[in-house]
Amino acid sequence: MEKKILSFVVLLLASLPMMAQQVSVQPNKPEPVTVYTQSEVDTPVKVSGYKSFKDFAAKNMTYPADAKAKRVMGRVKMTAVINEKGEVTKVCLVSPVYPSLDAEAVRLLESAKWIPAKKGGKSVRAEQDFYIDFMLK
């Protein structure tokens, strides 16, 4: 009797790969996500409570000590996608200047409270260009 049960279990286990091959599972395909450019939206991305991102950056910037000591200055250019919830995604440094200045620019971009772009009265994902000037006197 034990031999028959053992044979049945072995046969069952051997047939599992064949059964698995017969089952067809369709992967979930994500819906395409539209990201609009600045020229395609009715209302561009805005920083909540400020006239511009430049004003926000000027008020909230902390000049990195290492860059200050070396007197490193320049303009960090970035692009980012602001989603329909006002969250920053996909930050890309277009023109990096210096590692700590680049990091501060990204920090400022991500810390701002964004109002998303609008198209047809609805909030949409939009790619926007940003820049921050780091200057010392």
Side-chain angles (χ1 to χ4, degrees), residues 56-105:
F56 172 84
K59 183 169 182 175
N60 295 284
M61 179 187 297
T62 302
Y63 211 102
D66 64 327
K68 198 174 198 177
K70 293 181 179 181
R71 304 220 24 97
V72 179
M73 296 181 273
R75 173 178 278 186
V76 177
K77 294 180 186 176
M78 305 170 282
T79 62
V81 174
I82 309 297
N83 70 17
E84 56 277 326
K85 295 176 185 175
E87 301 165 335
V88 177
T89 62
K90 298 184 183 179
V91 176
C92 177
L93 288 167
V94 177
S95 298
V97 174
Y98 187 74
S100 60
L101 294 181
D102 302 339
E104 177 63 4

Side-chain angles (χ1 to χ4, degrees), residues 75-137:
R75 173 178 278 186
V76 177
K77 294 180 186 176
M78 305 170 282
T79 62
V81 174
I82 309 297
N83 70 17
E84 56 277 326
K85 295 176 185 175
E87 301 165 335
V88 177
T89 62
K90 298 184 183 179
V91 176
C92 177
L93 288 167
V94 177
S95 298
V97 174
Y98 187 74
S100 60
L101 294 181
D102 302 339
E104 177 63 4
V106 171
R107 184 195 70 78
L108 286 165
L109 184 65
E110 291 177 339
S111 67
K113 181 169 173 43
W114 294 99
I115 299 169
K118 301 247 186 222
K119 183 167 180 74
K122 293 174 68 175
S123 295
V124 295
R125 292 174 188 254
E127 183 177 69
Q128 180 117 2
D129 299 327
F130 301 93
Y131 69 87
I132 298 180
D133 291 317
F134 289 91
M135 301 304 234
L136 294 169
K137 295 179 182 182

Side-chain angles (χ1 to χ4, degrees), residues 4-49:
K4 286 183 182 181
I5 293 174
L6 183 60
S7 296
F8 176 74
V9 170
V10 169
L11 181 63
L12 182 65
L13 290 174
S15 66
L16 281 177
M18 288 186 284
M19 289 189 308
Q21 290 174 359
Q22 294 172 355
V23 176
S24 170
V25 177
Q26 297 295 328
N28 289 338
K29 292 183 180 178
E31 291 184 29
V33 176
T34 303
V35 177
Y36 295 95
T37 61
Q38 296 169 50
S39 63
E40 296 175 312
V41 297
D42 302 329
T43 308
V45 171
K46 297 179 188 169
V47 180
S48 181

